[in-house]
Each structure stands twice: as C-alpha cells, then as structure tokens.
Amino acid sequence: MATSLLEEKLLSGEFVVTTEIGPPKGADVSGVIHHVDLLKDMVDAINVTDHQSSVMRYPSLGACLLIKERGGEPVLQITCRDRNRLALQAEVLFAYSRGIQNILCLTGDSVDVGDHKDAKPVFDLDSVQLLRMIRTMESGVDMAGNQLAGAPKCCIGASVHPEADFMEAQLVKFDKKVEAGAQFFQTQGVFDLAAFRRFMQYASQFDVKILAGFIVLSSAGMARYMNSSVPGITVPQELIDELAAVEKGKGLAKGVEIAARFIRTIREEGLCHGVHIMAVGNESVVPELLAAAELVGVHR
Amino acid sequence: MIVAEQKPLEDIIRMVRPYKKVLLLGCGTCTTVCNAGGETEVAFLHDALRMAEARAGDGRREYSEATLKRQCDPEFLEHLTERVEGVDAVVSLACGTGVQALAERFADLPVFPGVNTSFIGMAVEWGVWDERCAACGDCRLEDTGGICPITRCTKGILNGPCAGPKKGHCEVSPDMECAWILIYRRLERLGQLERMRRYYPPRNFRPISRPRRIVGKAGLEARGSHGDVTA
C-alpha cells in the first residue's frame, strides 16, 4: 500500500501535477486558505516552502496542517538551514503524527540571501543526510540509535537543478540523493529544454520519478531580478525579450503562456513523470496555467 | 596563521575613554603578518588616537607602546610585568587568545581588544587574506582534494554542491568560488573522483564542543620554537 496519495499517484505511472505555496509573512493565514481551497482539487499535491529564500515566514508545517485540514495533499519542505538534527527529527515525527508524510528534503538557501542576514546558519545536515535521516527513523531508531516509540513512514523527495552551473558535480549529488532513498525529484525551474532533455537522458536510468519544475515568470524585470539575486536560477535572454515585448500589465499572462508551452512540450515528448509549478506569489494563476497546459482533469 | 583586522577607531576610543594611562600592545606573530597588530600598527594606532583626541579637544590620555613576540604564551607575558606598572588599561592588538592570556595574567588590569579576530587563513595577494581552515578538529582534506568544504563552502556541506552557484561562484558572493566545484575539478585532475562519490555522514561536533583543550606533552622536551623563551 502506498504511504500517501502522492506516492500512490507517482507509482500509478500517470502524469503528476504538483504546485507550491509560500506561507505569509505574519500570522494571517487567510491567503493560504484561499489558495489551498482554490488548488487542492486541481493538483496531486501542494508543497509548502520553508522560509523560501531564507526570508522568515509562517512555518511550512503550519501551512501543511491547513492543507491537510482542508482535504488537500501537502508536501512538507524541510531545509537544513534553521534546525539541527534534533529539531529535524522532531519535525518529521510531528508531521507524521498529523498525517503529513510527503517530505521534500532540501539543504536550503544561505542565510545571507534572506532577510535575517545576521542569523546563525545551522546546516548540521545536508540534503543527502536529511534523506538518510528519515530512512533511519523509518527503521525504528533515531540518528543516535535510540528506539522510537512509533516510527514514521514517509514518501521522500529531493531537488535537483537540471541547468546547474557545473552539471558534473550536481549529478554526483543527484546520485547520492537517489542512493539515500529519494523517491521523487522536483527540479529547480526549467528554462532550457535542451538541458532538461540531457538531464533526463541521465536520470531515466534510475528508478525515481522526476517532476519538472516550472517557475511562472511575471515580467522581464522579475526574470532579471532572478538572474541577479536568486541562487542558481538563470532565465535565458530569449525569454526575457519575450516578456519585455508585451505591453505593461500583460507580463504575467505571457509568463503563463511560456510555462504552458514548456509543460505541453515535455508532456508531448514524454520527457518526465510530471510537473511542479512554482507561481512564486501568483498562485491564483495556477488554474489558468493548468488549463493552458491542457492539464485540467489530469489530476487524481 | 590567524588573521585579524583592526577595530574601527571610534570603538577603541570608546573603550579607552575612562582611562588616563593606556598601553597599546602589539603582537609579533600572526597579527604582525596580517598587518593588523604588529609594531607598525601599534604606532599607527597611537598616532590615530592622538589626532582624534586633538580634534575632539580631549588630550588628557597618556599612551605607551610595546610589542611582544607572542601574547598567547605566558612566558612572553612575563616581560610585561614592569611595563604595565602604573598603566590603567591595555589595548591588545593580538588575536582573542592574546587578549585573554593578558587578562588571565594581569588580574587587576582592564584589557581591551583592538582587533577583531577573523579566521585562520593565508595571503592570496598582497594585503588580501582568505580563510582556509575552520579548526573543526576533524580534518577531512584527504577526501576533498586538499580543499576544505567546511571552511570554503558557505553552508559547510559534505556531499557535494548545492544548486546555488552561478558561473562557478557561490550564491552568497560573486567573488567567492564554489568550493564543491573546485573540489570536483581537483579530484578529477587527481583521478580521485570516487572520493566525492562516497557518502559522508553528518559531522561529529564533539571535537569542537567549546572550549577545547589539547594535551600533547608525552615524550617532548622543551626545545625548538616552542621552548626557546626569548622576547
């Protein structure tokens, strides 16, 4: 039996659609609830980011509980930036005890790129070690070898960047994540299909599910900002030009069109097992994107 | 060596404000080499304090200068016994260890840090020092091609790069090379990439639970550079 609805879908061989929401800066969760209600029946799972870009926010775990309460399928993103191994293990126990079993294991952005630059960066573990930590806990013991009264059972995923700056080193890490037990990968934003095809040629030898990540661009300015300030992301000049060519106020519509075009192509070519849509603050356009990408009704 | 940089002058002025007779004390080892706290810097600091006081119309302080070969060794501190008589406070331009060694040796004397102790590093060009060692107590350079990921990766991670680098540089600074890309290239060159493909478990932080102590007396006579006690 599958551990979670997401795992069941991943194993079904059907095209998987996930998206993500960023929790609010503050305790007002009405926006999260609005987006969860809007999206929960249109996608297979909703990720919640963990202080994305090292900007302090409402916790991923809290928003995952809201998704669960409202009948959605959450993916808890956990980074190693803010918690040592005691806190990471406790987080997994708590999530599992409340029915949150999909976990995306990430190293996390540097503290320096966020809004609390003076904070102590933790990084007691890295993403590979975090994946192994969960597998260890599933065997009934904690990292120190002590017995757990009630072991968690999770569907664990990781991230990979198909357009990384130096792919050879990135693939060494990818191999280690697969070995550590990652069942699925949600990639960083894909903007270059040739690079993604090359990555899939390599990745398809492994028994893991790859969901291609797509960032919905909203303007040429946003794309340029990502190039200058968002770790690892490089939006190609052609796409920036395409966004710059539309009249003011139409950037987001163009971004939706671009993402839909990419998604249709990877689906037509059968390149990977699904997609992960990152609307970064524009979650309301996800239904429109799903329609444009011909993904309505594809979900469970 | 230990690399330090001088504190802002206004911080030093604030520290010495309540005192009349202040000794500016340099260190002849690490902070001399990194141009932060040797004899020359002591003289510069003296001049700077005088000028600042003259501008502020606050010239009531009497400064003296001295530089020890090393402030972190109790033997060298003995040479100070007479120098500190009648002194109200000391501004030490040694690393944090030197400042504390002074404070331990002279129980009644206020001691202030004149530098910020930054890291263990090396000169990469004239006047530029880069950190190279985090003194983690558990060296793994044999597996990483002689390039330390704990020091040179901003996240100190052990199993390969994060997804953050752009054009070979770290996500936190375009001036900083990604340690893991450097490690990959070097191991590839040495034909040792299998070392990078291994899984490395989480670090053991017990060797660096603070403060640390090393006991290494067995079979050693007092000799060589650590034994010749001369000022």
Side-chain angles (χ1 to χ4, degrees):
Chain A
M1 208 186 105
T3 299
S4 67
L5 289 171
L6 176 63
E7 186 180 277
E8 192 179 320
K9 179 80 181 200
L10 288 166
L11 294 171
S12 73
E14 289 171 56
F15 198 77
V16 179
V17 181
T18 61
T19 188
E20 71 183 33
I21 53 177
K25 181 93 177 172
D28 177 2
V29 293
S30 55
V32 172
I33 291 172
H34 170 73
H35 288 133
V36 170
D37 289 347
L38 179 72
L39 301 172
K40 68 183 166 70
D41 296 322
M42 307 191 87
V43 295
D44 297 300
I46 302 173
N47 287 39
V48 185
T49 54
D50 178 14
H51 307 298
Q52 188 172 11
S53 301
S54 305
V55 171
M56 193 289 295
R57 287 169 180 277
Y58 189 79
S60 176
L61 194 52
C64 283
L65 284 172
L66 288 171
I67 295 173
K68 199 75 193 169
E69 282 164 14
R70 304 189 81 79
E73 177 75 350
V75 178
L76 175 69
Q77 295 195 182
I78 303 184
T79 70
C80 300
R81 180 191 52 236
D82 312 311
R83 305 169 192 85
N84 70 6
R85 64 194 81 177
L86 281 79
L88 290 167
Q89 290 177 101
E91 182 106 339
V92 171
L93 292 177
F94 182 72
Y96 174 74
S97 75
R98 300 296 294 270
I100 296 162
Q101 289 171 276
N102 307 310
I103 301 181
L104 188 75
C105 298
L106 304 166
T107 296
D109 290 328
S110 301
V111 167
D112 312 58
V113 305
D115 71 344
H116 283 62
K117 295 183 197 298
D118 298 344
K120 180 176 186 181
V122 181
F123 301 109
D124 187 17
L125 306 189
D126 62 28
S127 51
V128 179
Q129 295 160 347
L130 179 60
L131 288 159
R132 286 189 181 246
M133 179 198 90
I134 297 176
R135 288 299 183 231
T136 300
M137 295 173 77
E138 287 178 337
S139 76
V141 292
D142 67 14
M143 287 180 78
N146 302 310
Q147 289 294 319
L148 295 173
K153 182 84 190 83
C154 303
C155 172
I156 56 176
S159 169
V160 63
H161 192 10
E163 298 171 12
D165 183 37
F166 188 76
M167 209 54 207
E168 296 93 325
Q170 199 67 212
L171 292 179
V172 171
K173 187 93 176 259
F174 173 76
D175 292 356
K176 290 192 191 188
K177 289 178 178 181
V178 173
E179 249 174 73
Q183 295 164 265
F184 67 95
F185 284 82
Q186 290 170 318
T187 77
Q188 305 271 6
V190 170
F191 293 106
D192 174 358
L193 281 182
F196 185 66
R197 285 187 196 99
R198 280 196 299 278
F199 166 70
M200 282 311 300
Q201 273 180 359
Y202 178 81
S204 55
Q205 65 182 304
F206 300 99
D207 182 23
V208 291
K209 307 296 179 187
I210 310 285
L211 310 184
F214 290 100
I215 296 171
V216 185
L217 299 168
S218 58
S219 66
M222 175 220 191
R224 285 190 206 101
Y225 170 79
M226 293 199 353
N227 285 355
S228 67
S229 306
V230 177
I233 301 291
T234 307
V235 183
Q237 191 57 44
E238 310 90 80
L239 292 182
I240 297 177
D241 293 344
E242 198 177 336
L243 285 158
V246 299
E247 56 182 286
K248 212 169 158 55
K250 297 279 171 62
L252 185 56
K254 180 49 97 179
V256 168
E257 184 193 315
I258 292 169
R261 190 170 75 212
F262 277 125
I263 293 171
R264 282 196 308 270
T265 308
I266 67 138
R267 212 171 148 219
E268 277 158 22
E269 295 185 24
L271 278 179
C272 60
H273 309 94
V275 290
H276 176 64
I277 296 164
M278 296 169 270
V280 283
N282 292 308
E283 285 81 0
S284 313
V285 302
V286 172
E288 194 187 315
L289 170 56
L290 293 174
E294 295 155 30
L295 283 174
V296 175
V298 169
H299 67 288
R300 60 188 144 104
Chain B
M1 68 170 179
I2 293 170
V3 179
E5 55 183 354
Q6 202 169 92
K7 278 185 173 286
L9 189 63
E10 54 271 28
D11 287 6
I12 297 173
I13 291 172
R14 184 178 44 76
M15 288 187 271
V16 301
R17 188 163 290 141
Y19 303 97
K20 284 207 168 72
K21 289 186 176 173
V22 177
L23 171 64
L24 306 175
L25 185 64
C27 183
T29 309
C30 302
T31 59
T32 291
V33 181
C34 67
N35 303 347
E39 208 171 344
T40 317
E41 289 73 33
V42 166
F44 282 163
L45 177 62
H46 191 168
D47 289 347
L49 286 166
R50 282 252 172 273
M51 283 166 70
E53 285 178 359
R55 246 196 324 261
D58 175 26
R60 61 196 177 89
R61 239 159 259 104
E62 191 184 303
Y63 292 103
S64 56
E65 298 179 22
T67 297
L68 290 183
K69 187 169 180 185
R70 264 203 301 284
Q71 291 188 28
C72 58
D73 261 338
E75 291 88 338
F76 293 108
L77 297 181
E78 290 312 314
H79 299 279
L80 271 185
T81 319
E82 283 171 27
R83 294 297 301 264
V84 299
E85 267 174 35
V87 163
D88 301 323
V90 178
V91 174
S92 162
L93 300 192
C95 70
T97 300
V99 177
Q100 294 184 68
L102 277 172
E104 281 180 36
R105 172 62 186 79
F106 301 104
D108 300 317
L109 189 63
V111 179
F112 300 110
V115 303
N116 289 318
T117 307
S118 305
F119 50 74
I120 302 175
M122 64 179 222
V124 288
E125 59 183 88
W126 172 244
V128 179
W129 288 269
D130 273 1
E131 184 174 16
R132 286 291 181 267
C133 177
C136 74
D138 186 16
C139 192
R140 57 183 70 237
L141 285 168
E142 80 272 24
D143 285 326
T144 55
I147 296 164
C148 178
I150 289 168
T151 314
R152 297 181 67 183
C153 165
T154 188
K155 300 173 187 176
I157 52 179
L158 303 182
N159 283 293
C162 70
K166 283 182 182 172
K167 298 192 171 106
H169 291 89
C170 176
E171 67 185 32
V172 306
S173 166
D175 301 325
M176 211 156 83
E177 290 178 285
C178 168
W180 276 107
I181 294 178
L182 293 176
I183 291 169
Y184 184 98
R185 291 204 166 115
R186 170 119 169 113
L187 288 175
E188 185 180 41
R189 195 182 173 130
L190 297 174
Q192 296 182 353
L193 269 179
E194 78 285 353
R195 289 178 187 268
M196 184 161 160
R197 295 201 175 96
R198 279 181 213 151
Y199 168 68
Y200 295 96
R203 277 173 68 187
N204 173 5
F205 281 89
R206 273 184 295 181
I208 64 161
S209 59
R210 294 201 155 102
R212 296 178 256 182
R213 167 171 284 179
I214 287 180
V215 179
K217 291 176 182 165
L220 285 184
E221 297 296 323
R223 62 185 150 79
S225 61
H226 296 279
D228 296 335
V229 184
T230 49

